């Protein structure tokens, strides 16, 4: 920055946004088309137009964004730094038009230029920088924080390739790279001048600092972390928060001397190596892979974020002892937990605080959210790898552990078993750092993501810690943003709601309660049913256009969309479908007696997860047989559009009648799809798992199809010894369905194709599909009966909407603020 005094009145700011009129919008749009894209309207491509439109929306938000950044820096109010390796954002244009209230103006403005805005909306490739629920939750949270004017920054990684694009080749999943940046990304602002240098490897050494023995880290190599800023507009409140995603680049672009001497690939080696760090999102969902590059990604983004916060967000001369009054770093799962030793390192080695002071600060500045119950999903890093990549951090972790175990001994005596169980360092199968334990020891609070999950976390996953740290454990039930998943995804229902209870529910979702009395009004029920029919038509058009798939007319729409995971039990639904089909093809059941249903699946499998990929293959195989067998008379359809993502979710969810939430009790931490469906008026068929429990409590048993074992029943059956083949023997429908799959009926007579699925269910069945099959089928029959009374069904659907306001992510944010962050909104 130069020291030349500012004299021009315009330069004194704040900057003025373009006029909020159709003319103002047209002017700005054409400016962008001409001056940024370098094209005339008459010669512009659709992509030029999309980019210019996005830039125009941005321009309207810019003044507020700059102002909010300035204000936050000036006020230094306590804020949240949300550290998350994933943000599954979904399309930005729609959301930003909605948030800024520019929808009508923009539509009219573009129409006056001869452009249909809806065609441009379709061009946006959504940034898929996340795997599933966890990443989408982070995106909902930053939306809510902006809407509630909470000072906050989301920090993460700008993956060059997000979650892979899924296609099916002969029914089997194939993965293509997700080139979301190929056509340019108008929503990001790179700031290479604010890059941070992030180091790796090397060794540590102690030295004498004026009589004090200190340690320093002598790293072996480093990379540049370049921030890319994204706007996060609040919903019509004029607030614009920041999402800052880091991209890795080489420190010295490349070695020109080596290049000149002809060793081209050697010369760009460092560049390649560095940019690999943010190259691609790991596509494993819930199960960590323990790869070195993954740890590099994690350290890379948290180190850059902490540095960014300390160097650029704090006022000059800020006393670090007051850090807990200024910030809370929320750890979204264990992925960012290496931030704990990093902050310690910065405070002790770089800022010269003594250990005890630094620890006092650190343990108040972090809080940890756990998102799983699967023991194999709790991340651990081998000491060997961590020590090689981050030698100083390993030393710090050892010391944190030493002091922690000392205090455990003080309280519990020399109970070696307990000490071993609580140690941050595990010994088997190899010496490793248990990141969830580190987060629990360091975090001011630890939360689960639904009531049941938080309780199991306390009682089963971390019981020793819960006893040692009373008061540290809490719950915050997940939520979803009503802006994207109701207002944007379901315009017809949104209009009906606003016409009935007025506007304002978008930011005060409890107001949906006011719909409840209208469930008794036949005219309202008719209008609600019409909305559902309209949404089904929209989905029918979309799936035809996108994939050439045909949704059955007048069918019950039964939807299961989520990652493919054995614990989520897509296989239960497959067995249900095969049971229905087996009845018809064997002639025992008349097709005309079956409730017409279209089953929709959407699911990606981690590329290395063989069983999940087999299940995808089976679903497609069942679909192609069932959909083409004339005996079925078109009454059953199985559709599996590939590449399920946020954009498709926005079309599928509002159209659904039935939401499948059928995980084995005790395995799904929360689920968030379950909330989106209920809010859009689908009835749930589900187990007592995750947030299903809370959904059922709120909507009432009459409006929810419950089935399956409870978590204690699951535990008891395990303890007793689970033999799935007994369930197979004991249930004729199940036997017939399994036998039909095993016979090769869905694999052209080849019995080997799906044999691994069948034998896994018969002899292992970790997630107790066979044990819950009978109860699931029974519940599905109840669904059929309930659906026969359309009016009663609609009434239940309305009550689902009216009673699920609790699941707004705004409420989740209020809970975080009250129970964990203590950060008031700053207007
Ligand atoms: C998950 C849980 O599996 C899911 O139940 C939960 O709703 C989300 C958000 O809290 O987190 N954990 C996880 O690793 N992924 C999830 O979706 N990927």
């Amino acid at each position: 920055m130069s020291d030349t005094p500012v004299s021009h009145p315009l330069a004194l700011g704040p900057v003025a946004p373009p006029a909020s009129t159709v003319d103002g919008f047209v002017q700005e749009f054409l400016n962008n088309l001409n001056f940024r894209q370098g094209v005339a309207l008459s010669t512009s491509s659709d992509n030029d137009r999309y980019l210019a439109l996005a830039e125009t929306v941005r321009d309207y938000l810019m003044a507020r964004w700059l102002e909010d950044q300035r204000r936050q820096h000036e006020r230094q109010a306590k804020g949240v730094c949300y550290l998350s390796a994933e943000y599954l954002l979904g399309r930005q244009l729609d959301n930003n038009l909605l948030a800024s209230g520019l929808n009508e103006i923009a539509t009219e403005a573009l129409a006056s230029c001869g452009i249909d805005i809806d065609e441009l909306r379709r061009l946006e490739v959504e940034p898929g920088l996340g795997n599933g629920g966890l990443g989408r939750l982070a995106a909902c949270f930053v939306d809510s924080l902006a809407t509630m004017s909470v000072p906050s920054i989301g920090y993460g990684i700008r993956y060059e390739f997000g979650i892979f694009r899924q296609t099916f080749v002969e029914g089997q999943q194939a993965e293509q790279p997700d080139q979301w940046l190929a056509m340019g990304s108008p929503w990001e602002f790179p700031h290479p001048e604010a890059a941070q240098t992030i180091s790796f490897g090397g060794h540590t050494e102690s030295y004498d600092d004026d009589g004090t023995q200190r340690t320093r880290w002598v790293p072996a190599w480093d990379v540049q972390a370049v921030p890319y800023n994204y706007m996060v507009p609040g919903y019509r409140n004029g607030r614009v928060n920041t999402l800052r995603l880091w991209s890795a680049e080489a420190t010295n672009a490349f070695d020109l001397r080596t290049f000149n001497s002809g060793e081209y690939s050697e010369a760009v080696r460092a560049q390649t190596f560095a940019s690999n760090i943010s190259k691609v999102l790991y596509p494993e969902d819930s199960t960590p892979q323990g790869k070195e590059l993954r740890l590099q990604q994690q350290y890379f983004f948290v180190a850059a974020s902490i540095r960014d916060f300390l160097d650029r967000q704090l006022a000059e001369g800020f006393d670090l002892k007051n850090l807990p009054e200024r910030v809370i770093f929320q750890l979204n799962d264990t992925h960012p937990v290496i931030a704990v030793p990093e902050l310690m390192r910065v405070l002790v080695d770089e800022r010269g605080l003594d250990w005890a002071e630094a620890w006092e600060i650190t343990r108040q500045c972090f809080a940890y959210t756990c998102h799983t119950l699967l023991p194999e999903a709790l991340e651990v890093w081998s000491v060997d790898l961590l020590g090689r990549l981050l030698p100083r951090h390993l030393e710090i972790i050892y010391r944190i552990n030493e002091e922690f175990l000392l205090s455990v001994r003080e309280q519990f005596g020399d109970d070696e078993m307990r000490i071993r169980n609580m140690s941050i360092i595990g010994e088997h199968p190899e010496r490793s750092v248990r990141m969830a334990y580190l987060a629990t020891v360091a975090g001011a609070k630890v939360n689960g993501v639904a009531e049941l999950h938080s309780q199991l976390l306390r009682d089963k996953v971390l019981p020793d810690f819960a006893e040692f740290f009373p008061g540290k454990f809490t719950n915050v039930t997940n939520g979803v943003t009503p802006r994207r998943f109701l207002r944007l995804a379901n315009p017809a229902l949104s209009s009906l709601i606003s016409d009935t209870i007025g506007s304002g529910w978008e930011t005060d979702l409890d107001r949906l309660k006011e719909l409840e009395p209208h469930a008794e009004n036949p005219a309202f029920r008719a209008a609600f049913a019409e909305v559902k029919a309209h949404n089904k038509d929209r989905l029918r058009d979309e799936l035809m256009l996108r994939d050439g798939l045909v949704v059955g007319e007048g069918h019950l729409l039964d939807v299961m969309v989520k990652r493919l995971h054995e614990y989520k039990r897509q296989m239960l639904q497959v067995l249900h479908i095969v049971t229905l089909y087996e009845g018809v093809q064997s002639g025992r059941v008349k097709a005309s007696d079956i409730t017409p249903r279209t089953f929709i699946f959407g699911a990606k499998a981690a590329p290395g997860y063989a069983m999940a990929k087999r299940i995808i293959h089976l679903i497609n195989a069942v679909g192609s047989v069932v959909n083409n067998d004339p005996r079925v008379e078109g009454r059953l359809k199985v559709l599996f559009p590939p590449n399920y993502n946020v954009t498709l979710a926005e079309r599928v969810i509002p159209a659904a009648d039935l939401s499948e939430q059928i995980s084995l009790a005790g395995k799904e931490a929360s689920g968030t799809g379950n909330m989106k469906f209920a809010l859009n008026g689908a009835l749930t068929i589900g187990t007592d798992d995750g947030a299903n429990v809370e959904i059922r409590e709120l909507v009432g048993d009459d409006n929810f199809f419950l089935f399956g074992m409870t978590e204690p029943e699951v535990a008891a059956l395990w303890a007793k010894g689970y033999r799935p083949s007994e369930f197979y023997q004991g249930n004729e429908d199940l036997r017939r369905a399994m036998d039909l799959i095993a016979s090769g009926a869905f694999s052209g007579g080849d019995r080997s194709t799906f044999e691994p699925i069948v034998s896994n269910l018969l002899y292992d069945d970790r997630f107790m599909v066979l044990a819950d099959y009978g109860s699931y089928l029974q519940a599905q029959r109840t669904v059929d009966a309930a659906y026969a009374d359309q009016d009663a069904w609609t009434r239940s659907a309305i009550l689902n909407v009216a009673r699920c306001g609790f699941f707004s992510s705004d409420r989740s944010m209020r809970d975080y603020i009250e129970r964990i962050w203590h950060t008031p909104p700053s207007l």
Side-chain angles (χ1 to χ4, degrees):
M1 267 176 273
S2 84
D3 289 333
T4 318
V6 175
S7 59
H8 195 285
L10 283 179
L12 289 166
V15 292
S20 287
T21 59
V22 171
D23 287 348
F25 199 98
V26 170
Q27 177 73 59
E28 193 71 10
F29 173 71
L30 292 175
N31 274 345
N32 283 321
L33 203 52
N34 297 163
F35 299 128
R36 285 173 168 274
Q37 296 313 116
V39 291
L41 178 60
S42 56
T43 56
S44 59
S45 67
D46 280 349
N47 193 55
D48 288 324
R49 293 167 175 198
Y50 162 71
L51 291 173
L53 170 60
E55 283 153 3
T56 305
V57 176
R58 249 174 40 181
D59 294 345
Y60 279 88
L61 292 167
M62 186 58 72
R64 293 306 306 239
W65 195 26
L66 299 178
E67 177 58 12
D68 284 340
Q69 288 172 51
R70 188 196 62 75
R71 213 158 20 167
Q72 175 58 7
H73 200 270
E74 183 183 284
R75 292 193 185 165
Q76 293 285 306
K78 182 171 181 180
V80 187
C81 288
Y82 200 76
L83 298 179
S84 178
E86 301 190 8
Y87 290 90
L88 190 48
L89 294 171
R91 284 186 179 156
Q92 297 297 287
L93 175 61
D94 290 343
N95 185 64
N96 294 356
L97 276 170
L98 175 71
S100 55
L102 287 167
N103 237 329
E104 277 88 53
I105 288 179
T107 306
E108 206 181 310
L110 266 73
S112 71
C113 298
I115 300 169
D116 177 355
I117 196 171
D118 289 335
E119 279 173 21
L120 300 189
R121 289 178 203 270
R122 297 188 71 88
L123 294 181
E124 181 174 354
V125 183
E126 68 169 72
L129 310 184
N131 270 291
L134 176 146
R136 183 52 236 179
L137 186 78
C140 285
F141 282 4
V142 292
D143 176 87
S144 282
L145 288 169
T147 297
M148 296 164 71
S149 297
V150 179
S152 54
I153 306 180
Y155 283 112
I157 302 175
R158 178 184 177 272
Y159 300 104
E160 195 179 325
F161 297 94
I163 184 69
F164 64 85
R165 199 162 59 79
Q166 178 193 53
T167 59
F168 295 139
V169 180
E170 289 173 7
Q172 304 197 52
Q173 171 175 296
E175 300 98 23
Q176 259 79 49
D178 161 49
Q179 305 198 21
W180 71 286
L181 292 167
M183 300 301 274
S185 169
W187 302 107
E188 60 183 21
F189 294 83
H191 282 280
E193 80 292 347
Q196 305 278 1
T197 302
I198 306 301
S199 305
F200 293 92
H203 62 275
T204 63
E205 59 191 28
S206 42
Y207 66 101
D208 186 288
D209 178 23
D210 258 352
T212 315
Q213 240 0 73
R214 294 196 169 278
T215 306
R216 72 178 151 226
W217 176 20
V218 187
W221 52 279
D222 46 41
V223 301
Q224 292 292 101
V226 178
Y228 283 66
N229 294 339
Y230 291 72
M231 295 170 163
V232 184
Y235 179 74
R236 304 200 176 164
N237 64 346
R239 174 94 189 192
V240 186
N241 278 355
T242 300
L243 176 63
R244 183 158 300 149
L245 304 181
W246 299 97
S247 176
E249 284 178 19
T251 323
N252 307 307
F254 66 90
D255 182 344
L256 196 58
R257 263 186 316 173
T258 316
F259 187 83
N260 288 337
S261 71
E263 293 168 42
Y264 305 119
S265 59
E266 187 53 27
V268 293
R269 204 178 59 84
Q271 174 82 51
T272 313
F273 191 77
S275 61
N276 271 346
I277 291 185
S278 55
K279 182 69 82 187
V280 53
L281 169 81
Y282 272 86
E284 279 73 25
D285 181 61
S286 306
T287 39
Q289 284 301 297
K291 299 263 169 60
E292 179 162 356
L293 181 63
R294 173 79 173 161
L295 182 57
Q296 289 176 11
Q297 290 186 339
Q298 296 182 349
Y299 178 65
F300 164 78
F301 100 86
V302 298
S305 307
I306 287 182
R307 201 85 51 82
D308 180 78
F309 188 82
L310 297 182
D311 292 354
R312 304 183 71 94
Q313 312 303 323
L314 294 179
E316 237 181 77
F318 185 89
D319 184 350
L320 287 173
K321 293 198 184 80
N322 300 326
L323 199 61
E325 284 141 49
R326 177 71 174 80
V327 67
I328 179 94
F329 292 103
Q330 186 67 33
L331 302 165
N332 195 28
D333 216 81
T334 51
H335 319 144
V337 170
I338 197 71
V340 169
E342 172 64 5
L343 182 62
M344 284 298 289
R345 188 190 68 78
V346 170
L347 294 179
V348 174
D349 296 359
E350 293 183 359
R351 306 292 175 107
L353 271 66
D354 69 35
W355 178 273
E357 268 176 336
W359 180 243
E360 192 52 31
I361 294 167
T362 298
R363 63 176 197 81
Q364 295 178 71
C365 281
F366 286 102
Y368 161 54
T369 306
C370 176
H371 292 270
T372 188
L373 279 163
L374 305 178
E376 70 269 28
L378 292 175
E379 243 180 343
V380 294
W381 289 109
S382 88
V383 157
D384 183 51
L385 168 58
L386 210 146
R388 234 179 328 112
L389 204 61
L390 301 167
R392 178 60 179 143
H393 298 75
L394 184 60
E395 287 177 4
I396 291 171
I397 293 168
Y398 278 145
R399 178 150 176 205
I400 292 173
N401 193 38
E402 221 170 86
E403 296 189 356
F404 166 62
L405 292 181
L406 216 61
S407 60
V408 175
R409 276 182 203 282
E410 264 169 36
Q411 184 163 330
F412 293 117
D414 292 335
D415 178 348
E416 294 308 323
M417 192 61 167
R418 187 189 284 264
I419 301 285
R420 216 171 320 137
N421 286 342
M422 293 181 79
S423 174
I424 294 170
I425 308 296
E427 300 294 339
H428 297 290
E430 60 177 337
R431 218 151 190 252
S432 47
V433 181
R434 297 156 157 168
M435 301 308 272
Y437 291 13
L438 176 57
T440 303
V441 171
K445 292 278 179 183
V446 175
N447 76 286
V449 288
E451 290 288 352
L452 174 67
H453 174 235
S454 295
Q455 177 213 319
L456 294 172
L457 192 62
R458 263 190 315 255
D459 298 348
K460 295 205 163 173
V461 183
L462 301 168
D464 294 324
F465 290 90
E467 194 184 343
F468 186 73
F469 295 116
K472 186 176 277 208
F473 286 76
T474 185
N475 172 251
V476 178
T477 298
N478 284 165
V480 302
T481 170
R483 272 74 64 186
R484 183 177 287 274
F485 289 106
L486 202 46
R487 182 68 176 74
L488 204 62
N490 200 340
L493 182 57
S494 298
S495 300
L496 179 62
I497 296 172
S498 296
D499 290 348
T500 311
I501 65 170
S503 62
W505 53 269
E506 297 93 335
T507 52
D508 182 6
L509 208 62
D510 282 333
R511 284 201 47 215
L512 292 180
K513 281 199 188 94
E514 296 167 29
L515 290 173
E516 193 159 337
H518 297 273
E520 308 309 327
N521 173 351
F524 183 78
R525 285 203 297 275
F528 190 94
E530 214 170 281
V531 165
K532 190 55 91 181
H534 165 80
N535 289 336
K536 286 185 180 180
D537 288 343
R538 277 201 342 150
L539 179 65
R540 184 175 300 110
D541 294 348
E542 176 69 21
L543 289 184
M544 176 48 75
L545 184 73
R546 184 185 188 268
D547 307 301
L549 298 175
V550 184
V551 175
E553 292 272 358
H555 281 205
L556 184 163
L557 219 62
D558 181 344
V559 183
M560 183 159 189
V561 285
K562 49 185 78 249
R563 285 297 286 252
L564 202 310
H565 231 291
E566 286 165 279
Y567 83 81
K568 295 180 187 280
R569 302 199 296 188
Q570 277 89 355
M571 273 311 296
L572 262 182
Q573 176 73 307
V574 173
L575 288 171
H576 170 221
I577 296 167
V578 172
T579 299
L580 293 173
Y581 175 67
E582 194 277 337
V584 174
Q585 65 98 48
S586 66
R588 283 180 301 105
V589 178
K590 281 206 302 240
S592 56
D593 287 343
I594 292 183
T595 302
R597 282 205 204 205
T598 293
F599 300 89
I600 295 182
F601 289 90
K604 290 181 183 179
Y609 187 174
M611 186 56 82
K613 292 179 116 175
R614 261 187 220 114
I615 295 172
I616 287 182
H617 187 193
L618 177 59
I619 297 170
N620 280 321
V622 168
S624 68
V625 169
V626 171
N627 298 346
N628 295 306
D629 188 330
R631 290 172 293 186
V632 175
E633 297 172 10
R635 295 175 77 86
L636 297 176
K637 286 189 174 293
V638 182
L639 308 183
F640 196 161
N643 202 42
Y644 177 65
N645 58 9
V646 178
T647 306
L648 184 57
E650 290 170 21
R651 275 300 157 92
V652 172
I653 293 169
D657 294 306
L658 188 65
S659 154
E660 299 276 343
Q661 307 300 336
I662 59 181
S663 52
L664 177 63
K667 301 295 176 196
E668 188 72 271
S670 161
T672 43
N674 48 3
M675 303 168 184
K676 294 166 198 166
F677 280 100
L679 276 168
N680 280 279
L683 272 59
T684 305
I685 180 166
T687 46
D688 241 335
D689 199 16
N692 293 355
V693 177
E694 289 155 80
I695 293 177
R696 185 170 64 84
E697 275 166 11
L698 284 165
V699 305
D701 284 343
D702 294 345
N703 305 302
F704 188 108
F705 302 98
L706 175 69
F707 76 97
M709 293 177 285
T710 60
E711 192 280 328
E713 286 165 353
V714 169
L717 182 54
W718 268 124
K720 185 177 115 195
Y722 173 51
R723 277 185 294 279
S725 54
E726 287 174 6
F727 288 89
Y728 167 81
Q729 295 299 344
N731 186 315
E732 200 178 315
D733 285 335
L734 176 58
R735 216 166 52 232
R736 288 202 165 112
M738 300 264 294
D739 289 353
L740 193 60
I741 297 172
S743 74
F746 303 108
S747 39
D750 182 351
R751 304 169 72 94
S752 65
T753 312
F754 300 120
E755 191 278 333
I757 297 181
V758 173
S759 50
N760 180 272
L761 289 179
L762 279 177
Y763 305 114
D764 185 16
D765 195 16
R766 244 189 95 196
F767 300 104
M768 299 180 148
V769 171
L770 303 199
D772 271 348
Y773 168 90
S775 157
Y776 180 59
L777 238 72
Q778 193 50 51
Q780 287 287 16
R781 291 193 190 108
T782 315
V783 168
D784 284 337
Y787 197 68
D789 184 346
Q790 280 290 297
D791 202 37
W793 182 282
T794 299
R795 184 177 167 278
S796 278
I798 295 167
L799 292 177
N800 266 264
V801 178
R803 294 175 181 174
C804 280
F806 174 78
F807 297 108
S808 167
S809 46
D810 300 348
R811 189 271 314 147
S812 303
M813 294 298 88
R814 281 196 296 277
D815 288 349
Y816 273 97
I817 289 168
E818 191 184 301
R819 298 172 195 172
I820 302 174
W821 297 338
H822 313 295
T823 48
S826 101
L827 299 170

